[in-house]
Amino acid sequence: MSEPVVLPVVVDAPQHAGLSATLDYRCHLPLPAGSLVQVPLGRRSVPGVVWHRRLGEPAESPQLRSVEAAMPSLPPLGAAWMQLVEFCAGYYQRSVGEVALSVLPPELRKLDDAQIARRLERLKRSAEVPDAAAAPALPELTDEQAAAVEQLAALPAGATQPILLQGVTGSGKTEVYLRSAARALQQGRQVLVLVPEINLTPQLEARFAERFAGRRLVSLHSALTPAQRLRHWLLAHLGLADLVLGTRLAVFASMPRLGLIVVDEEHDPSFKQQEGARYSARDLAVYRGRVESLPVLLGSATPSLESWSHAEQGRYRRLRLTQRIGGGALPVVRMLDMGALPRPAGGAAPSVLAPALQQAVEQRIERGEQSLLLLNRRGYAPVLFCGACGWKSGCPHCSAWRVFHKADRTLRCHHCGFTERVPRACPECGNLDIAPIGRGTERLQEQIAQLLPTARVARIDADSTRAKGSLQAQLTAVHAGEVDVLVGTQMIAKGHDFRRITLVAAVNPDGALFSSDFRAPERLFGLLMQSAGRAGRDASRVGASESPSEMWIQTFHPRHPLFEALKAHDYPAFAAGELKERQNAAMPPFSFQALVRAEARTQEVAQGFLNAASAAARQGMPGRAGFEEAMARITLYGAVPMTVQRVANVERAQMLVESDSRMALQRFLAAWQEILRETRALPLHKGLIRWAIDVDPLTI
Ligand code: ADP
Ligand code: ZN
Ligand code: ZN
């Protein structure tokens, strides 16, 4: 037997554990970096990955323990993969081992080497390429598409400048993805396509599968069974899959021949992971492209302002598609000034649809066309109210109202899930007359059915699609023309190719114009542009060519610049205005932010912890090189309760950290972690339940 070697290994232990980033283990096999191993940690046996270098100081340990098991049959993970994981851990302030192990398929841990070896054999044997069906006829590219494809093809090998493809809905962005993918495949490379939500985008998967019938395509997302996920991951890792289509976790897919990354709908917030390592898969894709010297194609009709400003500064190359395929017109946007409507007599509540909008919907129904009504709030009513005593349907465990769901007559908390049957009478005073206030999609559906008694009204939102397959069934009904009016949340705005919808209306979008969340206008604009994009995708087929499709906005602020830009379908104008405001206010992307969140039984404890850690940072960190300089460029705000400050009886507080320099913020956070850990360990803060850092938070 050969001399034992010492291997640095990362294990699945959170950063808070205070372990050094790699631990040393003795091993009789000279396992290469990227090998999976099983090692002892305390009294447990945990999975680990042999790392390519030692990170940090070696842990003090009188005697080295030995690797318990290895998986030499599995080809090791590549250097680029390890670099991506290391970057993610550093940037989002987690431990390398935690990130590494959390992005590998969990099933992998359950297998020993012999099992893996058999698995791989079977995969390789079964991995004959599917029959190359006759190559599908390719559509002739439009001039704009051709220009975009050419520019992409002309990129010198190894060029790493990300490409931002901004194209209005229906402009044929997907065709540009397909052509770029074809090129990469031809060159013997693998292609990774990231999409925001896989069950909303079966159409994209179908288009890729159809175009590349002779290639192996696998998907990677959280809806797969553990066995499927392992199988797909292995196919990618072995290089047997040519295309990987997946949600944010797929950015970590191990792909030895990767040659192109596409991020579709790059602005979508679901690319940001909201727990554990809170990474942005879009940003990691860009980093991965740089490390592996390959092009990253970011596509959207309404790019994130971060990406757009990168393009403005020339850091991203910008390509634009300004025309809809087939010259289809973008919908005409009409403002309905709700302030100018006459008030109904006798103090009656105004109708949910302004008369002109109602008429327009009725006309569509007569013509056999469909309308889509958008309301970004699910449930029947956001709160129940007793007019006699002022009782409201609060959640006993959260600082939030419980939403009234009429279909099953429940009051449901959308934060902690606490659900009860609706009381018959006010629980405080016994008044029988408790009433819903406000309107969610359920109520909108009911009101529309009353308003338009002959119409077939359907609803699509998170509640109506909970059962497996129900979304697909409902979409099929819409496509088949069995629905006249479709009511829904932002869920229906994403990606679906509705062919018969010629009218889209936003019932009540004003809230986002004056939200305390500075990203709310950006999200609203994206949502409205996307929803508008659902209309008139095939106007010719419904014979409505003489009357272009329409988007209606019911608003009290018809002259708001956001709506002006929407009317003109002018994303660049919207972005310019919004970026100017952000710049004046020194908001991202002109500054860099992180949030530290703390949870405890009381606000006092949660805020006390944050403020103590902040005070400790101000006192400096002697011996930490560069800390003082970084600190000088940091603004630490005071601890405040989160917007929904109590969830499931846990009080939540947060502290904003801001800097004009990303580097300074990174340096500061890395050093501050230690302070946060030390502060946490003080008896004074033992009531703290947990804390976590969110870098580049999407909501504040
Ligand atoms: P986007 O992704 O920009 O919203 P799509 O790629 O979905 O747009 O294209 C819209 C429609 O136009 C699709 O049905 C697609 O098949 C079709 N299409 C795309 N490019 C062409 C083309 N060059 N010629 C004909 N049809 C095209
Ligand atoms: Zn009451
Ligand atoms: Zn609750």
Side-chain angles (χ1 to χ4, degrees), residues 386 389 391 426 428-429 431:
C386 167
C389 75
W391 172 85
C426 171
E428 295 285 322
C429 73
N431 172 20

Side-chain angles (χ1 to χ4, degrees), residues 350-418:
S351 169
V352 46
L353 300 185
L357 175 55
Q358 182 180 339
Q359 245 169 33
V361 173
E362 282 166 349
Q363 278 170 8
R364 307 288 145 160
I365 298 173
E366 273 161 34
R367 292 208 295 257
E369 299 167 15
Q370 296 173 317
S371 302
L372 190 164
L373 304 182
L374 187 71
L375 180 64
N376 227 354
R377 174 185 270 161
R378 64 195 170 89
Y380 187 83
V383 60
L384 279 187
F385 175 70
C386 167
C389 75
W391 172 85
K392 283 183 177 174
S393 57
C395 174
H397 311 297
C398 305
S399 51
W401 306 123
R402 271 180 302 163
V403 175
F404 174 35
H405 289 257
K406 195 174 180 186
D408 54 5
R409 298 211 60 85
T410 56
L411 285 177
R412 255 188 259 161
C413 176
H414 287 185
H415 298 278
C416 74
F418 180 66

Side-chain angles (χ1 to χ4, degrees), residues 198-241:
I198 207 117
N199 44 9
L200 293 179
T201 44
Q203 292 175 83
L204 191 67
E205 195 174 344
R207 280 173 77 179
F208 271 83
E210 185 198 356
R211 178 66 56 90
F212 301 113
R215 303 280 190 166
R216 184 182 293 269
L217 183 158
V218 298
S219 57
L220 272 181
H221 52 82
S222 51
L224 296 177
T225 65
Q228 283 171 326
R229 185 166 157 201
L230 175 64
R231 188 185 142 80
H232 292 183
W233 185 89
L234 286 172
L235 285 167
H237 178 59
L238 297 175
L240 296 174

Side-chain angles (χ1 to χ4, degrees), residues 241-260:
D242 292 313
L243 294 129
V244 175
L245 198 92
T247 50
R248 58 178 179 259
L249 66 88
V251 76
F252 290 104
S254 163
M255 299 175 72
R257 296 184 283 112
L258 185 60
L260 170 71

Side-chain angles (χ1 to χ4, degrees), residues 177-197:
Y177 305 157
L178 289 165
R179 300 291 173 111
S180 317
R183 232 180 95 81
L185 294 172
Q186 247 162 29
Q187 293 165 349
R189 311 290 293 268
Q190 291 171 296
V191 175
L192 172 62
V193 183
L194 299 179
V195 294
E197 282 162 65

Side-chain angles (χ1 to χ4, degrees), residues 2 24 31 39 46 81 112 144 163 202 214 279 327 341 343 395-396 404 436 440 469 524 544 550 597 652 664 698:
S2 57
D24 285 340
L31 295 175
V39 294
V46 296
W81 184 87
D112 62 23
E144 285 186 330
I163 301 117
Y279 61 84
L341 292 181
R343 300 288 294 167
C395 174
F404 174 35
L524 176 64
E550 291 175 354
R597 301 207 172 91
R652 312 184 308 164
L698 278 188

Side-chain angles (χ1 to χ4, degrees), residues 314-356:
R315 295 177 56 191
Y316 292 1
R317 176 191 295 252
R318 176 164 45 207
L319 302 175
R320 294 191 64 202
L321 303 177
T322 60
Q323 307 289 321
R324 271 190 154 180
I325 296 291
L330 286 161
V332 174
V333 178
R334 299 178 154 227
M335 295 295 142
L336 257 172
D337 186 352
M338 300 303 274
L341 292 181
R343 300 288 294 167
S351 169
V352 46
L353 300 185

